[in-house]
Amino acid sequence: MESNNNIISLKGINKVYRTKTVETQALEDINLDVADGEIISIMGPSGCGKSTLLNIIGLLDTPTSGTIELCGRPVEGLSDKQLAAMRNKTLGFVFQSFHLISSLNVLDNVMLPLMYGHHSGDRKALAREALEKVGLSNRMHHMPSQLSGGQAQRVAIARAIVGDPKIILADEPCGNLDSRMGAEIMNLLHSLNRDDHRTIVMVTHNEEQARDTDRILHFFDGRQVL
Amino acid sequence: MTVEEISSKPLGDREIVLSKEMAERYFPGRNAIGQYLISNIDRETGDTSKIKVVGLVSGVKWHSMMRSYDLVVKSSAPDRKRRLNSTKIVLRLNDNIDRNDFIAAFKPWAAKNLCEGNYFVQSVLSYDDVIRKTENDYRIHSQNTLKYILGAFFVVNLILGTIGCFWLQTRRRVEEIGIRRSFGATRGRIVRMLVSESVILATAAFIIGDLIYLQYALKEGLDQGYVNNNGLNLVDNWINHFGQHFIIVSAGVYLIIIVAVITGTLIPAVKAASVNPVDALRDE
Ligand SMILES: Nc1ncnc2c1ncn2[C@@H]1O[C@H](COP(=O)(O)OP(=O)(O)O)[C@@H](O)[C@H]1O
Ligand SMILES: [Mg+2]
């Protein structure tokens, strides 16, 4: 039974954006299984639907048709509360432009997911631990504006792992970073995959970074082409 | 003491009945009955005298914006030297007699029968009419209306102002809301966060405003009342129990402000919380 092993399972996903004048098929009949502990990358030209796919996996958006299972659990028909709980427990997001809350310091940013669910243990200690893992425990009381891009993205990664989610979704995590900092971030993601057994789905434009992952999905115009 | 009790038991020469509030001021926290007051120097004897308090009555108001008038009941020989330009006679009716019926019947009867020499009944008013007339004469009624209109205007302004400010404020925070949502905050949680933030702000503003008002009240002597030329504390318009009054008024104002602020923030907060996090976090 291979589906037992799949932490993410998408079947026949379609996503159509309708506005008054145009209809965009952002995703067309996507079928995707990701095994527990896999690290995969998604590639493709801009506008081919990579972010849309990640948002659907991340339960931030709903597909027009098709079914999603996360950790063996179908997500259709879940309430806002249940979806929020699932995002909180099983998913961690890393965005291209970091999206730290500018009015909160580093520690409070990292603690954010712990405010929205029942997590055992001291929140501050957990946040500190996550910051140690990304090598930024000495920047705890800095504000986001005082960080470099690479540091900000590491804080964002600490935030993504603080609630101990099984799945990390990273949409062009190195897109706003120079190649040296990008490599640092990639190392971090690989160690999260290798050492902590987290499943990682990431979008990248960098061939080299993609080659280091278990699997590469190529997208074009809303379809998986490879 | 009731009116009947006073009239059935004539007061002695050095006995008086005080209004309760007046007694409270002279004998705070004590039973005033049986206590003594020292009178002013008597012009004839050149001496002061001790006057015994033998009873208490409620105060009297003759318009709704005043606090109860201080009242002293004492025995006095009719003063024959005083000229009777205008004398008022108070009639007290049995509870089962309709006041308007009585006035309607009494007026013509009094006009015919109740005159002596140059004296005649000029007008008959119910006590309600007396109060209404005073309030009109002192323009209290129109002042009150103006105050209510201003108050309503202020509350409407507060609600609209809150909606406006809060609308701008939450629009600037869609990114933050999207972030919080993607890390597991429910819509309800976002709404609660936004509304409670505005409640905290309103509370802080209220405390500052309330302290300013308190300063003003103390400086203007709202808690002391009005002292007349003779140094007698008449407490004409302001309040007796200033502490209580201040707390109750503050609590009432706070309640109105909080209700207005919650009304003003709820709609923008619900709207902001329903923004799709994908739209809020678009990278391009
Ligand atoms: N909210 C939306 N409304 C309409 N069209 C959208 C919306 N979001 C994305 N699209 C369209 O869907 C397609 C895929 O977008 P996206 O997933 O962001 O691409 P990628 O991340 O691969 O660059 C694009 O053509 C984009 O214009
Ligand atoms: Mg994208």
Side-chain angles (χ1 to χ4, degrees):
Chain A
M1 303 298 271
E2 58 160 31
S3 69
N4 276 347
N5 208 17
N6 287 334
I7 195 163
I8 301 170
S9 177
L10 306 182
K11 291 206 169 60
I13 298 288
N14 284 285
K15 179 70 184 179
V16 183
Y17 287 110
R18 283 194 183 86
T19 59
K20 277 192 193 101
T21 47
V22 284
E23 200 170 273
T24 318
Q25 177 109 25
L27 292 174
E28 199 176 335
D29 193 30
I30 303 294
N31 296 288
L32 173 64
D33 286 320
V34 182
D36 191 8
E38 235 187 327
I39 178 166
I40 70 171
S41 43
I42 299 173
M43 298 194 74
S46 185
C48 71
K50 307 179 296 293
S51 295
T52 305
L53 181 68
L54 234 58
N55 290 334
I56 285 174
I57 297 173
L59 310 179
L60 293 175
D61 210 350
T62 48
T64 312
S65 66
T67 59
I68 309 158
E69 279 181 24
L70 292 184
C71 305
R73 193 168 162 213
V75 301
E76 213 180 324
L78 292 187
S79 68
D80 175 58
K81 234 183 179 154
Q82 290 167 313
L83 289 174
M86 206 143 174
R87 282 198 291 270
N88 184 254
K89 281 267 179 248
T90 53
L91 296 160
F93 296 90
V94 178
F95 306 97
Q96 177 177 352
S97 44
F98 323 134
H99 287 312
L100 299 177
I101 296 176
S102 54
S103 57
L104 301 180
N105 71 14
V106 165
L107 189 66
D108 288 336
N109 263 289
V110 175
M111 280 190 343
L112 188 78
L114 304 179
M115 290 171 54
Y116 298 121
H118 302 285
H119 296 269
S120 53
D122 177 18
R123 291 178 190 169
K124 266 201 178 129
L126 287 172
R128 251 185 241 126
E129 207 178 295
L131 278 169
E132 254 157 50
K133 191 155 264 169
V134 300
L136 278 178
S137 44
N138 56 341
R139 293 282 193 283
M140 265 189 304
H141 301 295
H142 284 51
M143 296 307 281
S145 57
Q146 299 169 307
L147 301 174
S148 72
Q151 286 170 334
Q153 195 60 303
R154 272 147 68 195
V155 172
I157 289 174
R159 178 179 60 183
I161 61 172
V162 72
D164 195 23
K166 285 190 137 70
I167 304 166
I168 303 227
L169 303 173
D171 194 349
E172 303 186 37
C174 313
N176 282 8
L177 304 176
D178 64 36
S179 58
R180 196 177 57 82
M181 287 203 268
E184 247 172 50
I185 294 299
M186 284 312 299
N187 282 339
L188 201 49
L189 288 176
H190 277 288
S191 84
L192 294 177
N193 170 250
R194 201 181 336 104
D195 306 337
D196 301 346
H197 198 72
R198 295 188 208 282
T199 306
I200 296 178
V201 179
M202 63 167 219
V203 172
T204 180
H205 287 299
N206 186 317
E207 285 279 355
E208 205 179 315
Q209 287 173 2
R211 264 202 301 277
D212 286 340
T213 62
D214 297 340
R215 193 148 54 108
I216 306 174
L217 310 181
H218 287 275
F219 273 65
F220 189 80
D221 218 5
R223 271 162 302 178
Q224 191 186 337
V225 290
L226 247 161
Chain B
M1 251 183 153
T2 62
V3 178
E4 282 83 359
E5 282 167 341
I6 294 178
S7 54
S8 68
K9 179 181 158 291
L11 296 170
D13 199 17
R14 303 203 188 293
E15 290 179 345
I16 54 167
V17 171
L18 296 182
S19 71
K20 285 173 188 158
E21 294 182 6
M22 201 173 170
E24 170 66 22
R25 217 164 37 254
Y26 283 113
F27 309 105
R30 281 182 290 161
N31 184 0
I33 294 177
Q35 307 279 357
Y36 289 92
L37 292 172
I38 309 296
S39 75
N40 287 339
I41 294 170
D42 190 294
R43 241 179 261 150
E44 280 161 31
T45 61
D47 207 353
T48 59
S49 55
K50 281 170 94 182
I51 302 173
K52 187 179 184 184
V53 180
V54 295
L56 301 177
V57 289
S58 304
V60 173
K61 286 184 175 192
W62 42 284
H63 62 74
S64 59
M65 289 306 281
M66 76 185 285
R67 33 147 291 157
S68 292
Y69 225 78
D70 286 338
L71 206 62
V72 177
V73 185
K74 59 176 184 176
S75 73
S76 68
D79 186 352
R80 297 203 183 278
K81 281 176 268 174
R82 182 181 290 168
R83 273 199 284 151
L84 291 174
N85 281 333
S86 149
T87 297
K88 295 186 176 74
I89 302 174
V90 180
L91 298 181
R92 195 157 182 274
L93 301 182
N94 260 332
D95 287 343
N96 54 11
I97 294 175
D98 184 87
R99 197 184 301 157
N100 292 329
D101 288 353
F102 175 83
I103 291 176
F106 180 75
K107 254 187 186 165
W109 180 86
K112 215 179 279 166
N113 300 309
L114 214 61
C115 48
E116 180 72 45
N118 284 335
Y119 297 110
F120 61 97
V121 174
Q122 191 181 29
S123 68
V124 183
L125 294 174
S126 74
Y127 200 69
D128 286 345
D129 285 334
V130 173
I131 290 179
R132 211 168 295 132
K133 191 171 175 305
T134 336
E135 297 201 344
N136 262 332
D137 289 352
Y138 284 64
R139 309 175 113 266
I140 287 169
H141 186 69
S142 54
Q143 276 176 20
N144 278 353
T145 311
L146 189 66
K147 279 179 199 157
Y148 288 131
I149 291 173
L150 279 175
F153 176 73
F154 161 73
V155 171
V156 169
N157 257 314
L158 182 63
I159 294 177
L160 290 180
T162 316
I163 292 178
C165 277
F166 200 70
W167 190 245
L168 284 177
Q169 156 84 353
T170 47
R171 276 242 305 250
R172 236 179 284 130
R173 288 174 65 182
V174 280
E175 184 197 352
E176 176 190 337
I177 291 166
I179 295 169
R180 289 179 184 273
R181 296 263 287 133
S182 61
F183 283 99
T186 58
R187 274 192 209 111
R189 192 65 196 264
I190 298 289
V191 171
R192 254 176 291 147
M193 176 187 82
L194 294 173
V195 172
S196 56
E197 279 176 12
S198 60
V199 166
I200 289 170
L201 274 179
T203 303
F206 166 79
I207 289 172
I208 294 170
D210 208 35
L211 289 178
I212 291 173
Y213 161 65
L214 180 61
Q215 278 303 103
Y216 166 79
L218 293 177
K219 185 161 171 289
E220 296 291 303
L222 264 61
D223 65 331
Q224 289 154 19
Y226 165 72
V227 178
N228 78 353
N229 296 340
N230 302 330
L232 204 61
N233 198 348
L234 285 176
V235 197
D236 204 357
N237 287 301
W238 290 109
I239 357 301
N240 244 359
H241 306 284
F242 179 74
Q244 264 176 36
H245 174 91
F246 178 72
I247 288 168
I248 291 170
V249 168
S250 296
V253 169
Y254 181 63
L255 200 73
I256 292 172
I257 287 177
I258 289 304
V259 168
V261 164
I262 289 178
T263 313
T265 49
L266 208 53
I267 296 161
V270 168
K271 280 212 163 162
S274 330
V275 167
N276 186 347
V278 174
D279 295 326
L281 296 177
R282 207 172 290 287
D283 276 325
E284 289 77 22

